[in-house]
Amino acid sequence: GLLPHQAYWLATALYDDVEQQRAAAKIMQQLYAAFVASGASLAEINPLITTPSGEVKAIDAKMNIDDNELFRHSEIEELRDESSEDPAEVLAREAGLTFIKLDGDVGCVVNGAGLAMATMDLVKYYGGEPANFLDIGGSSNPEKVVNALRIITRDPNVKAILFNIFGGITRTDDVANGIVAATSQFKVGVPIVIRLTGTNEAEAIRILNGGGMTALSDMDEAVQRVVQLVREAA
């Protein structure tokens, strides 16, 4: 925890008055204790004010709770108000997907958060704008792919979709079969470009090309292709 002498040292950097230092140190310790006890990813006081009479007070505060901590905190989970959340993000959570909506027009479906970030950066590099961050994890389950496509295409701004799949433990041919099955169940309505690399990639590309989809192994080429498709749709 935040030890008393550490809190006091911080308070002395903010206040000259001893009583104000003590008040601020107490608030800092309580803030840190609340942060740890609730499993928060963020806890902040803004503003921390000094009244005309010299009192130090926390006037407003904000906390973000880590979703991975909620199983320990049913009392916090009960406070969730889904009506105030983005409907697509609620659907994604229920489907076991990691999804964040953005303002662009290139839908991104990726396995792995690091690859998702790199994909979004590359879309920007080639002049496109990512419409979302969506991580399907290592799954090749067609239902998961359908849910991903359904969530992405709820956004009318999406003009093309890029799958970027790296097959390490995941077999890319399994993912390819999942995509073929998913797109036979769900009419997407916008062009799809699929980039796969790794385990069984040649077989995966054969499966997808045989299903009438554009499948590539080169990431730069795939991103350039999807950005071009978006421009053609504009």
Side-chain angles (χ1 to χ4, degrees):
L2 185 65
L3 297 173
H5 74 276
Q6 293 172 318
Y8 191 72
W9 178 82
L10 289 169
T12 58
L14 297 175
Y15 301 95
D16 294 325
D17 180 82
V18 173
E19 290 305 314
Q20 291 175 344
Q21 290 169 354
R22 287 174 181 160
K26 183 179 179 183
I27 288 170
M28 289 175 192
Q29 282 187 274
Q30 290 171 326
L31 176 65
Y32 188 88
F35 173 80
V36 173
S38 62
S41 57
L42 176 145
E44 69 174 35
I45 292 170
N46 184 13
L48 180 69
I49 66 141
T50 306
T51 67
S53 61
E55 291 181 285
V56 176
K57 290 188 177 293
I59 297 301
D60 199 3
K62 173 183 176 180
M63 296 180 74
N64 292 343
I65 308 301
D66 186 338
D67 285 347
N68 297 311
E69 285 276 353
L70 287 174
F71 75 95
R72 296 189 178 97
H73 297 284
S74 57
E75 75 286 358
I76 297 175
E77 177 66 46
E78 287 168 9
L79 299 173
R80 186 188 288 276
D81 177 11
E82 291 188 345
S83 67
S84 68
E85 299 181 39
D86 184 299
E89 293 185 14
V90 174
L91 286 172
R93 186 170 61 246
E94 291 171 352
L97 303 169
T98 303
F99 173 83
I100 300 167
K101 186 182 178 313
L102 302 169
D103 295 330
D105 43 26
V106 178
C108 302
V109 184
V110 181
N111 66 331
L115 188 58
M117 297 296 286
T119 302
M120 292 192 299
D121 285 347
L122 208 56
V123 168
K124 292 273 287 185
Y125 177 79
Y126 284 115
E129 288 293 335
N132 65 272
F133 169 112
L134 195 150
D135 177 8
I136 60 170
S139 174
S140 57
N141 182 345
E143 186 182 352
K144 210 164 191 180
V145 178
V146 168
N147 285 329
L149 292 170
R150 200 184 302 279
I151 288 162
I152 283 178
T153 53
R154 283 171 59 94
D155 181 353
N157 294 326
V158 171
K159 302 294 188 294
I161 295 172
L162 170 66
F163 278 81
N164 191 1
I165 306 298
F166 174 78
I169 296 170
T170 307
R171 285 173 46 186
T172 60
D173 57 329
D174 275 350
V175 176
N177 283 320
I179 293 169
V180 169
T183 51
S184 68
Q185 294 173 38
F186 178 72
K187 183 167 172 46
V188 178
V190 295
I192 298 175
V193 176
I194 302 153
R195 180 263 182 164
L196 306 104
T197 190
T199 308
N200 294 357
E201 72 179 69
E203 175 66 7
I205 290 170
R206 186 191 65 75
I207 290 165
L208 291 164
N209 286 337
M213 284 176 274
T214 303
L216 307 159
S217 61
D218 184 86
M219 187 159 149
D220 287 76
E221 191 180 342
V223 172
Q224 286 174 292
R225 182 79 61 90
V226 80
V227 169
Q228 183 61 37
L229 286 168
V230 167
R231 286 180 181 146
E232 289 171 4

